[in-house]
Amino acid sequence: MTTLTLPELAKKMAGIDFAMLQTHTASGEIAGRPMSNNGDVDYDGDSYFFAFDSADMVGEIERDPKVALSFTGSKGLLGKPPLFVAVEGHATLSRDRATLQAHWVPDLERWFEQGVDTPGIVLIQVKATRIHYWSGEDDGEIRL
């Protein structure tokens, strides 16, 4: 087991844009879907994702804010396995225009045509409480 600091892990995670966001459905099942962090990859334990208020995951987060994220890096050098990161955390929802604007990137207009003024837009923030990582023979855990 290795011991990475959060900044060291963040460096290894640079460039990983997509994560699987897992929530709990009303019946207690686990639901997952891919989400882009829109290039906001300076990881400090918080992840941000835009969604529509009408999405099932938004209601699921309102019922139970305990969520999980899983990240997978590209294949390592010389056939070494990629970096895998599992995050446990709590999600919050924001509809505050200034908060939305702080995490907005122009590429999002593909889905949210009116930018941060798109009706029903919401920002999901996942604040990590536990991070486990694997990279080849190295693995470790960071608690926040």
Side-chain angles (χ1 to χ4, degrees):
M1 182 179 271
T2 61
T3 305
L4 293 177
T5 64
L6 185 56
E8 290 168 336
L9 179 60
K11 219 181 241 190
K12 291 179 177 284
M13 291 175 67
I16 302 176
D17 185 27
F18 283 90
M20 289 296 290
L21 170 62
Q22 293 97 29
T23 56
H24 295 92
T25 66
S27 64
E29 302 283 328
I30 297 173
R33 76 283 295 155
M35 300 292 289
S36 172
N37 61 26
N38 310 304
D40 189 2
V41 295
D42 292 331
Y43 192 66
D44 63 359
D46 290 347
S47 298
Y48 300 90
F49 309 101
F50 283 89
F52 282 104
D53 228 356
S54 59
D56 289 343
M57 72 182 129
V58 172
E60 292 163 1
I61 289 168
E62 288 173 333
R63 275 191 304 279
D64 185 348
K66 290 179 283 195
V67 300
L69 297 171
S70 58
F71 296 87
T72 304
S74 60
K75 192 166 185 161
L77 294 174
L78 303 173
K80 185 177 178 184
L83 173 68
F84 297 94
V85 180
V87 175
E88 297 171 22
H90 291 89
T92 56
L93 303 170
S94 178
R95 294 164 183 87
D96 175 71
R97 191 177 192 285
T99 303
L100 296 172
Q101 191 67 47
H103 297 280
W104 185 260
V105 294
D107 289 345
L108 289 167
E109 290 172 3
R110 176 179 178 188
W111 294 277
F112 307 99
E113 294 178 0
Q114 296 175 35
V116 297
D117 296 317
T118 300
I121 192 172
V122 63
L123 182 70
I124 301 168
Q125 177 183 4
V126 176
K127 185 170 280 305
T129 55
R130 179 179 176 262
I131 304 168
H132 199 103
Y133 57 88
W134 302 266
S135 180
E137 296 177 6
D138 298 330
D139 72 290
E141 180 178 289
I142 298 172
R143 291 192 178 262
L144 303 172

